[in-house]
Amino acid sequence: MTDELVAVLDQEARPTDAEGKWPERCIKILAESGLLGLTMPADAGGGGAGMRKFAEVTEKIAEHCASTAMIYLMHVCGAQVIAASSSPRRNYLVKQIASGKAVATLAFSEKGSRSHFWAPVSRALRNSRGVVLNCDKSFVTSAGHADYYVVSSGSLDGKTVMDSTLYLIEKNTPGIEWSAAWDGVGLRGNASSAMLIRKCHLDESARLTNEGEGFNSMMEVVLPWFQVGSSAVSIGIAEAAFASSVAHTGSARFEHLNETLASSIPGIRVRLARMRLTLDSARAYLDHTLTRIEKGSADTMLFILGSKAIAAETALTVTDEAMRACGGAAFSRDLSIERNFRDARAASIMAPTTDGLYDFIGKALAGLPLF
Ligand SMILES: Cc1cc2nc3c(=O)[nH]c(=O)nc-3n(C[C@H](O)[C@H](O)[C@H](O)COP(=O)(O)OP(=O)(O)OC[C@H]3O[C@@H](n4cnc5c(N)ncnc54)[C@H](O)[C@@H]3O)c2cc1C
């Protein structure tokens, strides 16, 4: 992360949040810095980075502008599906992403199956050159801004909602409508609007997985990158709130006592300590998860599921502590803490949601099937 990139993220974070605008300038500088291609294969011009480096970069972006970090995370997830695909256009698409010329995203969640993204209720139909898609996608990060949309739909002749296929829809393809502009409580720059896909005709080269193998790609390709990246976003937001809390409580003064908030009030020092320890625990769990991924340990999936749950809970706890430690100064928009507090809320309701993750982990521990 260059100083110039950090400066742009810092300059853009507040207007991005206040105006709810997609952070064009931040994405442009990510592209120029080579970060849009960070995880793409080196032989296609990408950075060839693995998940550990990706987590490190995503956390840093989130520390400065969480909306940009979430856009980046969805971009990397979409890019990974494209890179893993056998589409005849794969090499061209990967090169576009690696060179920073294309932004990708995921369009999985549907109005009908809500946060159960693995179960699209839409179903693809055959046409003479490929498929026709009709889907009601409920939230799509970078809606209308991304170049490549990795879209799930029930597979041709599929029998259940678990029989899905992933397709690529490019920006400006006929048959796409966007709902009203995104207006969320946090991550306000995300442009996570609904996407209405109607009579969208795609040829065979748009198919990114084998017919009926969308679920496998969601679990084996998307889930690890998403969970690790989402954990990094949550940790980055919490680090920002912690740093602001230390700075504020160490500088705001009770003049009548000649003390700072931190020096005067033991309860504030306790809050700082709790924030740090909670954050370090989430960071250690993520580090442990990455080590298991790198080693290919048998129980890796449990840790992949757990990492996002722990980091999302951490972001909620730490930003809540920060709001309380810094009082009215945090409640106003003088500090960035109230933005951190709002941005932190997204991870626990983004699928797989924290409640859903607890349910999956509980099922695994009880020896029950996950689906
Ligand atoms: C900022 C943002 C960006 C997003 N970007 C994208 C994107 O780019 N692409 C995309 O596909 N989607 C995206 N989403 C959608 C997201 O992943 C979820 O699908 C969506 O937030 C779910 O909202 P819902 O109202 O449909 O939840 P619901 O499914 O209605 O959930 C309501 C409640 O039920 C709980 N619940 C559901 N199932 C279970 C279970 N099995 N066990 C226990 N509790 C359960 C949930 O935890 C939640 O508390 C985005 C969402 C947000 C907020």
Side-chain angles (χ1 to χ4, degrees), residues 26-369:
C26 299
I27 303 305
K28 186 164 176 280
I29 194 163
L30 289 186
E32 288 164 1
S33 319
L35 291 178
L36 292 187
L38 178 75
T39 68
M40 289 293 93
D43 60 9
M51 274 187 210
R52 193 175 284 276
K53 181 73 188 168
F54 161 63
E56 190 189 301
V57 167
T58 306
E59 179 191 324
K60 277 286 157 223
I61 299 172
E63 228 177 291
H64 298 277
C65 179
S67 287
T68 301
M70 184 55 69
I71 290 165
Y72 183 62
L73 163 58
M74 300 319 280
H75 163 75
V76 169
C77 291
Q80 287 297 324
V81 176
I82 292 168
S85 83
S86 51
S87 160
R89 300 190 58 225
R90 183 250 178 215
N91 291 351
Y92 167 77
L93 298 167
V94 166
K95 277 192 184 143
Q96 290 292 102
I97 296 167
S99 61
K101 291 193 186 113
V103 174
T105 192
L106 298 179
F108 285 178
S109 306
E110 294 199 347
K111 200 175 154 201
S113 47
R114 309 188 69 87
S115 57
H116 298 188
F117 66 87
W118 53 88
V121 294
S122 62
R123 186 153 301 285
L125 300 171
R126 257 184 203 85
N127 72 1
S128 55
R129 58 191 176 95
V131 294
V132 188
L133 296 189
N134 291 286
C135 323
D136 286 359
K137 297 295 178 184
S138 47
F139 298 82
V140 179
T141 291
S142 299
H145 297 276
D147 304 281
Y148 299 154
Y149 299 83
V150 173
V151 176
S152 58
S153 192
S155 55
L156 295 171
D157 308 322
K159 299 282 178 287
T160 76
V161 286
M162 308 299 263
D163 301 323
S164 63
T165 302
L166 302 186
Y167 302 93
L168 177 74
I169 298 186
E170 291 190 52
K171 191 178 181 178
N172 301 328
T173 302
I176 301 175
E177 279 174 39
W178 305 106
S179 72
W182 163 248
D183 188 13
V185 67
L187 298 185
R188 290 180 44 75
N190 262 62
S192 299
S193 300
M195 178 187 195
L196 194 64
I197 304 173
R198 284 289 175 274
K199 295 186 185 162
C200 181
H201 291 256
L202 301 173
D203 67 30
E204 185 56 26
S205 69
R207 195 155 52 76
L208 295 174
T209 63
N210 288 336
E211 204 50 51
E213 291 183 9
F215 179 80
N216 293 350
S217 175
M218 287 175 187
M219 295 300 131
E220 287 162 20
V221 180
V222 177
L223 195 68
W225 286 94
F226 179 72
Q227 297 283 108
V228 164
S230 174
S231 306
V233 173
S234 291
I235 290 173
I237 294 170
E239 285 289 2
F242 174 74
S244 297
S245 302
V246 170
H248 180 73
T249 60
S251 60
R253 301 189 68 75
F254 290 121
E255 287 181 14
H256 60 298
L257 303 175
N258 196 25
E259 298 260 20
T260 63
L261 290 177
S263 70
S264 153
I265 303 177
I268 288 183
R269 298 194 291 274
V270 169
R271 287 197 193 284
L272 294 180
R274 277 206 300 251
M275 289 162 83
R276 189 65 257 158
L277 294 178
T278 311
L279 244 167
D280 286 345
S281 306
R283 186 181 287 293
Y285 193 94
L286 177 59
D287 182 61
H288 196 58
T289 303
L290 286 164
T291 303
R292 282 183 133 74
I293 293 171
E294 285 155 1
K295 286 190 178 157
S297 310
D299 57 357
T300 301
M301 187 45 87
L302 264 186
F303 284 85
I304 288 174
L305 294 175
S307 60
K308 174 175 178 279
I310 288 184
E313 297 279 33
T314 294
L316 292 181
T317 306
V318 169
T319 56
D320 185 56
E321 291 276 16
M323 288 293 291
R324 296 166 77 179
C326 298
F331 194 82
S332 74
R333 297 188 200 273
D334 293 351
L335 308 174
S336 60
I337 292 176
E338 64 80 32
R339 187 178 74 239
N340 303 145
F341 178 77
R342 288 183 287 105
D343 289 341
R345 308 207 68 79
S348 45
I349 47 93
M350 283 184 77
T353 66
T354 301
D355 291 339
L357 288 168
Y358 288 146
D359 190 37
F360 282 133
I361 295 168
K363 280 177 176 163
L365 295 175
L368 298 166

